[in-house]
Amino acid sequence: MNTVVGAADEKFNTRVPLLIIGAGAAGLCAGLAAKESGLDALIVERDAVPAGSTALSAGLIPAAGTRFQRAKGIIDSPHLFATDIHRKSKGEADPAVVAAAARSAAPLVEWLTDRYGLPFDVVDNFNYPGHSALRMHGLPSRTGRELIDRLRQAAETIGIVILTESVAEKLFVDGGGICGIEVLRRNTIPERIGCDVLIVACNGFGGNPDLVRRFIPEMSDALYFGHPGNRGDAIIWGESLGAMASNLSAYQGHGSVATPHNILISWAVIMQGGIQINGEGRRFCDETRGYSEQAAEVLRQPGGFVWGVFDERIAKVARQFEDFRQAEHAGAIRSAESIADLATAMYVPTAAFAAEWDGVANLKSANAQDRFGRKFLKAQGCGPPYHAVKVTGALFHTQGGLAVDSSGRVKRRNGTRFPNLFAAGGAAAGVSGSTAAGYLSGNGLLTATTLGYLAGKAAAEQILS
């Protein structure tokens, strides 16, 4: 129902100091941070087992200045990280939120490792577009499923209560603040929970076709590769509350989802020297600008699909990702010992494809730049066997949302801030500016985890003060 109602005469079944909607990475980090500050939070979660957008990602958190980087001789800093974010977003991201996220990421990753045993390390055999240093921190499986499971286990271990199969339907307001919510338990039992502070960490709006058409029309017909629960509850509540929304046209797309298998193909394939070929056997752009903006580029090609093409050396790098191994197991990867045979397997014109491949091979040998401005490195070889995977562009998650300050507190349209409402994760505006091209790899999990942590800590301090 997504309604906001006055609460003058409402009776609550129970009351808690801190209530969190959503047990994704943002909500769980908020709950862990509140507990760290001495306050127990109650988390309500629509799914039977927490998953959210995090579970569909590679689970990589970009962080600058960690001990994991230093151990590998990687020089980085929060300032450099923030500079990269501003460059990619063309200066459209909120400077205060960027600074807070960039500054908090390294302590957060180390805290999760030291306090809860999450075994992070740095992905050091390739870099993602737009990052000036190797700073992607991931767990052994390189999956978001492992990250969300470990965060949930950490929360359960320290006694944080997560009410699963509980859908937040209504927000109750009293004066200028939030005083509680109504949840529907297991689709049948309405329950009203009062609170002193509310953190909305529930979702974006990628799973709401009406909102996507309204704010991101270029992706209205694209494959949606996000969580179906991303229905835009926070945006709908925010409009009723008078909350400020920011950059609702921003989103994270991906230009490499295996079709019809619907399996993510790591962008490591491209960054290691792979290319994309359309149905006419031709390349069509610089593939390394970013996987988010590449989604729309791919969808503009004939039939709305292309082929990702790479050699065995690149495949060995990509196999560190479970999704890629699943794609191989599912038969999504086609292989051949020659480019001519691979062209036949791809159903593309052999002459056109061979000319593109040979041209790239020559550029790699010369350490040169192509007609689109892409620079190929000499180390990026072209040896057999050769591989191809049919991919399409997809919408992963939205990056716009409720405007927040550097602690996650929600702003009103009149410039003031709500006294007891915070937002994080897909509910909050991220740091990607207003377009898909502003998305720097990892922005989603960066703001989910750091803003969740900062909101949980600030909420606990407010309640306990």
Side-chain angles (χ1 to χ4, degrees), residues 101-119:
R103 182 177 61 247
S104 302
L108 172 82
V109 167
E110 294 184 359
W111 172 66
L112 290 174
T113 298
D114 297 338
R115 187 63 58 88
Y116 301 108
L118 275 67

Side-chain angles (χ1 to χ4, degrees), residues 72-390:
K72 294 184 176 183
I74 299 168
I75 299 173
D76 198 7
S77 70
H79 175 74
L80 180 60
F81 188 11
T83 299
D84 288 344
I85 294 172
H86 285 302
R87 182 186 305 112
K88 196 70 164 65
S89 69
K90 294 181 169 54
E92 292 183 333
D94 185 321
V97 176
V98 171
R103 182 177 61 247
S104 302
L108 172 82
V109 167
E110 294 184 359
W111 172 66
L112 290 174
T113 298
D114 297 338
R115 187 63 58 88
Y116 301 108
L118 275 67
F120 284 106
D121 69 344
V122 184
V123 178
D124 62 359
N125 53 1
F126 75 97
N127 205 3
Y128 280 87
H131 286 282
S132 297
L134 295 164
R135 59 170 70 106
M136 287 296 193
H137 293 70
L139 298 173
S141 70
R142 301 292 192 257
T143 66
R145 179 78 263 179
E146 181 181 7
L147 176 60
I148 198 70
D149 285 347
R150 285 182 180 271
L151 288 173
R152 174 181 54 80
Q153 290 162 8
E156 291 173 345
T157 297
I158 63 173
I160 295 175
V161 176
I162 304 173
L163 294 183
T164 57
E165 298 181 276
S166 301
V167 180
E169 294 274 294
K170 298 178 182 179
L171 263 58
F172 295 107
V173 297
D174 187 6
I178 309 299
C179 58
I181 68 172
E182 181 176 277
V183 298
L184 194 63
R185 300 289 308 278
R186 295 176 174 84
N187 293 320
T188 59
I189 308 168
E191 182 174 345
R192 293 177 177 179
I193 307 171
C195 63
D196 296 323
V197 174
L198 177 67
I199 299 177
V200 181
C202 46
N203 50 46
F205 60 88
N208 186 323
D210 291 337
L211 291 181
V212 172
R213 280 191 293 270
R214 178 180 169 188
F215 297 117
I216 317 175
E218 68 178 304
M219 298 301 284
S220 59
D221 295 323
L223 168 70
Y224 176 55
F225 203 71
H227 190 277
N230 288 351
R231 304 292 298 173
D233 305 81
I235 296 299
I236 297 169
W237 286 324
E239 286 185 332
S240 298
L241 288 167
M244 181 188 300
S246 179
N247 292 326
L248 295 180
S249 57
Y251 66 93
Q252 187 228 320
H254 206 291
S256 189
V257 175
T259 183
H261 309 81
N262 286 356
I263 301 174
L264 176 66
I265 303 299
S266 168
W267 210 242
V269 167
I270 296 299
M271 299 308 293
Q272 283 289 298
I275 59 175
Q276 289 190 330
I277 295 290
N278 64 22
E280 298 170 349
R282 302 290 186 185
R283 290 181 61 224
F284 49 93
C285 68
D286 173 5
E287 303 93 335
T288 63
R289 292 173 306 164
Y291 56 71
S292 182
E293 55 265 52
Q294 192 69 3
E297 290 282 0
V298 168
L299 291 170
R300 282 193 283 267
Q301 299 310 301
F305 74 91
V306 300
W307 294 90
V309 186
F310 49 99
D311 63 10
E312 179 60 19
R313 180 191 63 81
I314 296 172
K316 289 178 179 177
V317 174
R319 288 186 185 112
Q320 70 182 288
F321 295 93
E322 185 176 313
D323 287 337
F324 187 86
R325 299 194 299 270
Q326 290 176 354
E328 286 192 309
H329 182 73
I333 312 295
R334 304 185 185 188
S335 303
E337 290 297 320
S338 72
I339 290 301
D341 288 343
L342 191 63
T344 300
M346 295 161 57
Y347 303 103
V348 300
T350 300
F353 175 36
E356 293 283 11
W357 185 263
D358 290 344
V360 168
N362 291 334
L363 290 168
K364 291 178 180 179
S365 297
N367 213 21
Q369 186 172 285
D370 69 8
R371 65 187 185 275
F372 304 111
R374 177 176 175 180
K375 179 69 176 293
F376 287 94
L377 303 180
K378 190 170 184 178
Q380 298 177 331
C382 298
Y386 306 105
H387 307 285
V389 56
K390 186 178 182 181

